[in-house]
Structure formats: structure tokens, C-alpha cells
Amino acid sequence: MKDQSPYSLDEVIDRRIYTDEDIFRQEREKIFKRTWQYVGHESELREPGRYRLTTIAGEPYIVCRDQRGEIRVLGNTCTHRGATLVRGSRGQCKAFRCPYHAWTFDLEGRLIGVPIPEDYGPRFRREDFCLTQARVETYEGLIFACLDEQAPSLDEYLGEAAQYIERSCQGKEVIGYNKCLFKGNWKLYQENFGDGYHPPFLHQGMGPAFLSTYEANGEAINLGNGHMLLKYYPPEPQHLDLSKLSAALGIPLTLETMKTTGIINPYPGDYDSVLSVFPNFIVPDIVSVLSVHRLTPLAPDRTLLEITILGDPQDSPEFRQFRLRQSTVWGPGGRAGIDDIAVAEKCQRGFHAKAIATSLMARGSSDERAGMVFNEYTIRGFYRQWRHYMGWSG
């Protein structure tokens, strides 16, 4: 690119942010330790003692419900010699017992058992060796944790994104899981879900497979705080090729069956949405598939994607099966998910071409907050927030 670029800081992205080891380490300290992180769903922790494991900023944590019914996020490391207390991904217990020397902690993180404690002498006090704890807040069943005591409340942090979480997630429960590792930077997947430009071209099994035109009835909205929203309104019947859509979904369709299965009239509202919460949390609510995507950065070019599938407790058995069948749209084997993962990996490989230093994100007027779904207001808002946390002024 020429030295005098016609584009603003908002409109070009330095590709080093996807590949540089030092930038990756700074992200853990400056972003992931200071923001609210989605760590689970309340329906996974119905009884005291239920737990699931998570990672925040590279550190292991246990998300559990204690004996009083409160949700806690505890450090998954023994305060004695550092061994992790819990293995696997989820389970139930009455206390957390270290496999190394049997130090035992209750569900509130207090040290309650130490073999042969007298040998430590009078200086030793159990209360000095409790498990570390993160701040915890919940919203519409979603559990969030934050390591920064000075960070704003969850309500303030979510801002305008809260109403869309409420719309999609209120009253829902976990009905399934999907996860995979991919060889790409975490931001590539996150920004992809604020990008309404790619679906008709990348998703050959989802876009051109059923649209007879590239017209898209929707909008892209920068919600502030780095949060992004894509809205898709039901396609006009004249823009649909029902034979191709039937083949793509494996369901014989007419306009009437599309309404009853939620494809023209999305469930639960009058539009489909893709909400991306800064920095690494996504809620796609598309064609009766409601899921929560969480990205855990492992390296500049390696990311863990965990997908939690949500359903309504009032779903009929038939509709529950439809949700689960449709949920395969995401993940490494899904009709759309496989494309999103593959293109992130293609971009990551392409960044090795050092002759091209920046990526362009300039679609749409730079001062607009909402508009045509094909434009990139949302992604620019995401990277403004990224620069704010990273302390990048230029």
C-alpha cells in the first residue's frame, strides 16, 4: 500500500495483530483479564456441586454452584503446589480434592482439609490458602466472569447488546455441545460473525443454495463497546429457490412448511440475528438454531472454539430434534461452520505474505453506525474497542 493511504486508521488492519507473539501475550493481559468472559450456562449447574471447567486469559478455572446455590468461578489450581484440582470438562462433587497431597477445598473455595497439618507449625492458617475467585454475574441464564475488580458491571459492559441476549436467550437451556480446534487467530472468527458481506459467496451450502438473487434483507449495527449485530429479515419468497433449499436442508419444503419449521418466520422473533459480544463471545440465532460460541485463544495461530446449543424447555420433542439437526450448521462439519473455520485458516496462511501489510475494512461510510448488512461498520467498531484496550493510539 502507498505511504499516503486514502484510508483511515479505522479502515485498515495491521496484519501483525493476527501473527505476532508479543501482541498475543498483550491481548491476554490487556483484554482477556479485563473483560467479562462467558464461562457457562446456569442450566448446566442445576444442583449444588455441579461444575464445568473453563479457561480465562490462559488460566484454568472451575465454574460451580455451591451448597447455598450461588455460582462461583474458582481457580483450578491447588494453593499448595499448583496441581489442577479437577479434570475432564464437567461433573459433580461435594468438594475439590487435590490428587497430589489431598488438600481439599469446599464449593466456596475454602481450604477444609490438610493431611498432617501440625507439621506446618503455628504460622500455617487455612484461611490464607483459599482458592482464588473471579467476579461473577449472570444475565438471562448466561454466566460471565471477570478477573478485573475495577472493570464496569456486566450490565454496563454489555450495554446495547443486552437486549439482544434477552431476546435470544431468555428462558433457554443447554441441549448440546460442539467444539473444535482451528489453525487461525481468534479475531478472524470473531470478526467473521460481524461480517455480512461474505455469506452469499463463502457459504455455498447456505447462501446461493437457496437464494435466487444476492439481495439480502438486513442490516449491520455497531452496538458500541466493540459489540456487533447482524440482522437478517425473512427472505422474500420471490428470492428463494425452494428446490435448492430443500436439497441443502434435506427437508422437502413449501412456503407453508417453511413457516411451520421457522425458516421464513424465524424462531422466536421476526428476524434472525448474529450478536457478537467483545471480545470472544457470539450468539447466532439463525433458522431456529440458537447457540453460544466461545473462543479461547491458545496461540496467535491456534484457537479453541466451543459451541453450546440452546433450546426452549417448552419445545416439542419434534422441534427439539429439528433444533439439534439444524445445529450442525456450525462447527467443523457444519454447512456454514466448516466454511468459517476453513476461511480463517486460509487467511492465517495468507498472512505469511509479508508484502501485503494490511487488510481493508472500508465498506460503508466511516461515520455510520448502522446500515446495509454488506457493510463493515460493525467490524470497525470491534477494532476500535480492541485498540482501546490494547492502548494503541495509531
Side-chain angles (χ1 to χ4, degrees), residues 143-154:
I143 305 168
F144 293 86
C146 184
L147 305 185
D148 184 358
E149 291 295 332
Q150 304 304 314
S153 67
L154 177 63

Side-chain angles (χ1 to χ4, degrees), residues 199-371:
F201 311 105
L202 178 65
H203 299 311
Q204 294 297 307
M206 292 294 291
F210 68 86
L211 288 177
S212 58
T213 173
Y214 284 131
E215 292 186 42
N217 188 20
E219 57 185 327
I221 305 172
N222 171 15
L223 296 174
N225 292 349
H227 311 322
M228 306 180 281
L229 181 71
L230 300 180
K231 281 186 178 181
Y232 291 100
Y233 299 104
E236 298 295 333
Q238 66 268 24
H239 295 157
L240 293 170
D241 186 325
L242 291 185
S243 63
K244 290 183 179 179
L245 181 55
S246 296
L249 297 180
I251 305 171
L253 292 174
T254 65
L255 290 177
E256 183 58 34
T257 59
M258 288 178 72
K259 291 179 181 179
T260 60
T261 56
I263 293 173
I264 276 191
N265 292 333
Y267 183 94
D270 56 356
Y271 59 85
D272 283 350
S273 62
V274 180
L275 173 67
S276 301
V277 174
F278 186 87
N280 61 327
F281 167 62
I282 306 164
V283 185
D285 189 356
I286 298 179
V287 194
S288 305
V289 182
L290 174 59
S291 56
V292 173
H293 298 202
R294 184 183 192 264
L295 298 163
T296 301
L298 304 176
D301 60 353
R302 192 161 176 261
T303 302
L304 172 64
L305 168 63
E306 296 173 286
I307 299 173
T308 303
I309 305 157
L310 302 182
D312 192 319
Q314 304 304 315
D315 286 341
S316 67
E318 295 77 16
F319 196 73
R320 175 63 57 90
Q321 287 304 309
F322 176 77
R323 280 191 193 272
L324 289 170
R325 185 168 62 248
Q326 286 290 86
S327 71
T328 59
V329 69
W330 304 121
R335 291 186 304 276
I338 193 171
D339 300 330
D340 296 322
I341 292 167
V343 81
E345 294 185 339
K346 286 178 181 290
C347 289
Q348 194 72 36
R349 289 194 296 272
F351 294 150
H352 291 293
K354 301 303 182 184
I356 308 297
T358 59
S359 295
L360 183 64
M361 306 250 184
R363 289 184 64 85
S365 174
S366 60
D367 60 348
E368 287 193 60
R369 179 177 176 275

Side-chain angles (χ1 to χ4, degrees), residues 46-64:
R46 295 189 188 277
E47 306 92 21
R50 286 283 181 189
Y51 67 85
R52 61 161 301 171
L53 302 187
T54 193
T55 301
I56 305 174
E59 301 177 8
Y61 284 87
I62 306 165
V63 185
C64 68

